[in-house]
């Protein structure tokens, strides 16, 4: 059997071990499409999986990587043929199904989205699941009626992948954006993406009041816990907050006050099991609503073998913007 290069996580006594290895193609999982993976990316969940700091991985051995972009090699699925350029985000890849940090992936054709014609595979993974999640969050705010004329919006975890792309999209759409970050030294970077105001994370990290002064018409939160509770307490009447992350914790120490006294809505954003139509719309929007120059400015590139160290850095909050991984 042929082998290919992959990052492989294996079960070990007292935890797990991870390294770059030769993986037997015969051990790929069931699926009706085999993809030659060209690019992947590093998301916060990938960092958790590789470092073992959260129980992301559900089977061993596992090839991590929750997303990929590449070219179809073989297919028995009606929608795909060899040579098609495709994107995959989520669906349990890197968790229960072998993921994108390998030169080959065998997956279900129903999990794939066609690469937009005006976008390269590298650009798609510079956006990655983080950027795709950011777009889903923007779409949710828009469906709720939050518009640039509604007032300013806030983005937490702003220097991370979701936050960086969210700021760029929102600014492109005409929003006034306040960026919340625990890294004030990144203020110039955040302003270059389109943020008009910078707020230090500590101002939103303390215990939240049931209600606080109304500041924002909407928000995108990647942090959770007290940060999200404070954002909710400061959201204007009838506003909405899209929640898509838990870097600060899974708890939500708030009250019903924002919801029943100000009519605030909390919009949950799932990117893993999202229906195909939503995915197609999001990627089409990303083709037109994200400044490619800003995407380039927020993106760094690494080789597959550098992913393990980068995973440690993203979990420690030492990664700015996006990291794209050259796989094949």
């Amino acid at each position: 059997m042929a082998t290919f290069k992959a990052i492989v996580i294996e079960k070990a006594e007292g935890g797990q071990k991870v390294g770059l290895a030769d993986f037997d193609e015969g051990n790929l999982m069931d699926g009706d499409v085999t993809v030659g993976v060209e690019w992947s990316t590093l998301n916060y969940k990938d960092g958790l999986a590789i470092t073992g700091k959260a129980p992301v991985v559900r089977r061993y051995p596992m090839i991590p990587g929750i997303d990929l972009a590449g070219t179809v090699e073989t297919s028995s699925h009606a929608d795909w043929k060899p040579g098609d350029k495709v994107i995959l985000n989520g669906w349990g890849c890197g968790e229960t199904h072998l993921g994108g940090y390998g030169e080959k992936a065998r997956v279900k054709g129903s999990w794939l989205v066609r690469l937009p014609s005006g976008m390269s595979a590298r650009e798609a993974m510079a956006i990655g699941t983080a950027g795709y999640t950011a777009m889903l969050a923007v779409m949710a705010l828009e469906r709720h009626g939050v518009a640039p004329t509604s007032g300013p919006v806030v983005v937490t975890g702003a220097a991370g992948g979701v936050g960086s792309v969210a700021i760029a999209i929102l600014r492109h759409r005409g929003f006034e954006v306040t960026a919340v970050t625990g890294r004030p030294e990144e203020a110039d970077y955040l302003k270059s993406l389109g943020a008009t105001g910078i707020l230090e994370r500590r101002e939103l990290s303390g215990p939240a009041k049931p209600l606080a002064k109304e500041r924002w018409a909407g928000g995108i939160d990647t942090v959770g816990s007290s940060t999200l509770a404070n954002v909710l307490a400061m959201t204007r009447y009838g506003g909405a907050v899209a929640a898509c992350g838990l870097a600060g914790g899974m708890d939500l120490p708030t009250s019903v006050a924002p919801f029943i006294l100000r009519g605030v809505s909390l919009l949950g954003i799932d990117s893993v099991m999202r229906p195909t139509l939503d995915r197609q719309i999001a990627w089409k929007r990303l083709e037109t609503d994200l400044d490619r120059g800003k995407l380039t400015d927020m993106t760094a590139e690494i080789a597959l073998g550098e992913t393990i160290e980068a995973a440690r850095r993203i979990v420690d909050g030492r990664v700015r913007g996006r990291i794209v991984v050259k796989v094949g």
Side-chain angles (χ1 to χ4, degrees), residues 210-277:
L211 293 173
K213 181 179 178 182
E214 295 177 79
R215 300 185 64 172
W216 301 295
I220 295 175
D221 175 68
T222 72
V223 179
S225 193
S226 297
T227 297
L228 176 54
N230 276 286
V231 170
L232 290 166
M234 296 176 183
T235 299
R236 294 179 181 180
Y237 188 92
V241 179
C244 58
L246 45 68
M250 290 186 68
D251 61 321
L252 183 56
T254 188
S255 72
V256 298
F259 311 115
I260 66 173
L261 298 180
R262 286 187 182 157
V264 172
S265 294
L266 178 58
L267 312 174
I269 305 300
D270 168 64
S271 63
V272 177
M273 307 302 289
R274 200 76 178 200
T276 299
L277 181 59

Side-chain angles (χ1 to χ4, degrees), residues 29-113:
M29 298 173 70
D30 290 341
D32 48 16
V33 179
T34 301
V35 179
V37 181
E38 296 157 14
W39 297 93
S40 188
T41 183
L42 183 68
N43 301 284
Y44 187 74
K45 184 185 281 187
D46 298 314
L48 293 175
I50 289 173
T51 61
K53 294 208 172 171
V56 172
V57 176
R58 308 288 179 171
R59 74 176 296 279
Y60 296 91
M62 173 56 66
I63 297 175
I66 64 172
D67 47 18
L68 61 88
T71 304
V72 172
E73 293 187 347
T74 64
S75 172
S76 59
H77 191 282
D79 291 345
W80 306 107
K81 65 182 186 303
D84 286 342
K85 301 292 186 180
V86 294
I87 304 169
L88 185 149
N89 301 97
W91 295 116
C93 287
E95 301 177 68
T96 58
H97 194 94
L98 299 177
Y101 291 164
E103 294 173 328
K104 289 185 186 294
R106 184 173 297 133
V107 299
K108 293 182 179 180
S110 58
W111 293 353
L112 299 171
V113 174

Side-chain angles (χ1 to χ4, degrees), residues 152-156 158 167 171 175-181 186-200 203 215-216:
V153 294
V154 64
V155 175
T156 69
I167 291 168
R171 188 61 191 145
F175 285 90
E176 177 187 339
V177 184
T178 296
V180 181
T181 182
E186 301 290 6
D188 288 345
Y189 163 74
L190 295 170
K191 288 178 180 176
S192 75
L193 297 180
T196 53
I198 309 295
L199 193 64
E200 289 197 32
E203 296 189 42
R215 300 185 64 172
W216 301 295

